Amino acid sequence: GFEEGGLAFSLGMLVLSFALFGLGATRLLEAWALHGRSYSGLMGKAFGLKGVYLCRVTIVLQQCGICLTYVIFIATNCRELWAYWTGATPTLATCCALQLLVLVPLSWIRDMQTFATTNLIANALILYALIVLALHATTTIAHDPPASLTTLPLFNRESFYLFVGTSAFVYEGSAALVVPLQEAVKPDRRADFSKMYVRTCAGIIATYIFFGALNWIAYGKSTQVVLTLNLPRGPWKASVQLAYSLAVVFTFPLQLYPAVQILKSVGRKLKRLSVSRVGYVAIDDPTTVEPPSETDTEADTPTRAIKPPRPRTSKLEGNAARTAVVAVLVAVAIAEVRRLDKIVALVGGFLGIPLAFVYPLAVHLRLVPNAPARTRALSIVAMGVGAVLGLVCSAVTLLTWNRS
């Protein structure tokens, strides 16, 4: 990441992205405190059905995009592992396709509590991998220090735009979880949640800055997009790649879950519409039909509309749909397996920035009309900055998609 933007630009972009993310999260929670709705519900309250659809489509595409990067990351590491253990080097496309054997069954699991233990294991594996990567970068700097930090570019004009999206991608869908996390907090602690959440995110971004800068100084222009490739060939590298790959595999169904739930609700609505057209009369509110009075004749008696039964999706249908989603992600990963940096930038710029930096501020402006003028002005400026960053980053990334 730091290679894309240069040391100074990357540091400044991470600080700016955190400022926009913290402001957006705070504003969204202020709107929630007044109206008590989900993120998409707040968008609907502010902008009608278009707001709901826009929010849900963005969440679905973002979560699928994150899962897409996971598939490529796992394939890159598994290819190295296979070569280390067997001496043969499979293609990245093969490594992507083989993941269907694992990711598809995991996507069928509906109870997220099942992943409580595996999530803890995944966190432990990531911690182990990060420690090894940090130690190797530190020893590299100690034994073979860079000639001068001035040799590291402060600004990379050739690919800086990629880091704009990357700086938003690092939150990996956290914006969509702000309201559910707030609702899960005990009532007596909800007043402190906003500050606690922002401080936690600040700690995470500080860790990103330290870790990114450390490895960028250690490897310079040799820094790989998948950082585990910078480790020297051997047992340590293999253990880190195995640990990180397993952690990402365990995380995959959790990241896909919000998208699956939204797609599931869309499928139910489509089935309900099809049912209402065959033998039923769809009505908005059947309780508005008044009961007949004693003086009403049969001709005067209103006909009560029959509400169609709620359609149910069988487990087989649900599994087929989940399989199709994972298969599409793997197919896209095979086609774009060597463009991980571009995918991260596009997902972050086109989807992450609106969801985290723009929509929350727009919701606040609509649903908290009595906010002080200075607060509203700050929201307008921040929303404009986020929109410009997202549009420019996305446009340039697409225009340079085939550039190596």
Side-chain angles (χ1 to χ4, degrees), residues 125-386:
L125 292 173
I126 290 176
L127 179 61
Y128 164 74
L130 292 177
I131 290 174
V132 173
L133 288 167
L135 288 175
H136 183 264
T138 303
T139 55
T140 299
I141 294 173
H143 291 95
D144 187 18
S148 173
L149 290 179
T150 58
T151 60
L152 300 177
L154 298 179
F155 178 74
N156 187 348
R157 64 180 182 179
E158 295 182 356
S159 59
F160 71 94
Y161 56 89
L162 293 176
F163 195 81
V164 175
T166 302
S167 66
F169 183 89
V170 297
Y171 297 100
E172 293 195 11
S174 297
L177 299 176
V178 174
V179 172
L181 287 173
Q182 170 75 76
E183 292 175 338
V185 175
K186 293 182 179 180
D188 59 330
R189 299 300 302 273
R190 286 180 176 175
D192 302 325
F193 174 77
S194 180
K195 293 181 180 179
M196 188 185 308
Y197 182 79
V198 172
R199 289 172 183 171
T200 302
C201 290
I204 294 173
I205 292 300
T207 303
Y208 275 132
I209 291 175
F210 168 77
F211 190 77
L214 177 67
N215 285 277
W216 174 228
I217 293 171
Y219 308 120
K221 294 183 178 180
S222 299
T223 306
Q224 300 292 321
V225 176
V226 178
L227 190 58
T228 55
L229 299 181
N230 280 108
L231 295 174
R233 187 181 179 89
W236 281 109
K237 180 177 183 178
S239 67
V240 168
Q241 289 180 319
L242 179 61
Y244 230 134
S245 297
L246 287 175
V248 174
V249 166
F250 290 147
T251 308
F252 181 91
L254 297 175
Q255 288 287 6
L256 190 62
Y257 184 76
V260 168
Q261 291 300 106
I262 292 175
L263 292 174
K264 182 179 178 181
S265 67
V266 172
R268 282 181 173 174
K269 288 181 179 179
L270 293 176
K271 290 186 72 174
R272 188 180 295 119
L273 286 174
S274 64
V275 170
S276 66
R277 292 172 183 171
V278 183
Y280 295 95
V281 180
I283 59 174
D284 293 330
D285 186 5
T287 60
T288 58
V289 179
E290 298 180 359
S293 64
E294 295 180 358
T295 58
D296 285 336
T297 64
E298 184 176 352
D300 297 327
T301 303
T303 302
R304 186 178 181 83
I306 303 174
K307 188 176 182 180
R310 182 180 181 181
R312 294 184 177 275
T313 303
S314 69
K315 183 171 290 188
L316 181 61
E317 290 175 324
N319 289 346
R322 293 162 189 253
T323 300
V325 171
V326 176
V328 169
L329 292 177
V330 170
V332 176
I334 291 173
E336 305 294 338
V337 70
R338 298 192 180 278
R339 296 187 177 91
L340 179 59
D341 54 343
K342 302 287 181 67
I343 294 173
V344 169
L346 186 61
V347 172
F350 188 67
L351 302 169
I353 286 179
L355 198 63
F357 305 165
V358 179
Y359 298 171
L361 299 174
V363 165
H364 188 271
L365 288 171
R366 279 291 185 93
L367 300 186
V368 190
N370 296 326
R374 185 175 299 179
T375 298
R376 294 177 62 83
L378 177 60
S379 295
I380 293 172
V381 171
M383 188 169 61
V385 171

Side-chain angles (χ1 to χ4, degrees), residues 66-79 91-107 244-246 248-250 252 323 326-327 329-331 333-334 337:
I66 292 171
C67 290
L68 174 62
T69 65
Y70 285 3
V71 174
I72 297 176
F73 179 86
I74 295 169
T76 304
N77 283 289
C78 286
R79 184 191 189 198
T91 64
L92 287 172
T94 301
C95 293
C96 288
L98 288 175
Q99 292 179 58
L100 288 170
L101 300 175
V102 178
L103 299 181
V104 166
L106 287 176
S107 71
Y244 230 134
S245 297
L246 287 175
V248 174
V249 166
F250 290 147
F252 181 91
T323 300
V326 176
L329 292 177
V330 170
I334 291 173
V337 70

Side-chain angles (χ1 to χ4, degrees), residues 29-54:
L29 291 176
E30 289 176 1
W32 173 85
L34 291 177
H35 301 278
R37 299 192 180 191
S38 65
Y39 192 167
S40 59
L42 291 172
M43 284 286 287
K45 180 77 172 177
F47 303 104
L49 281 177
K50 292 181 180 179
V52 175
Y53 295 150
L54 180 61

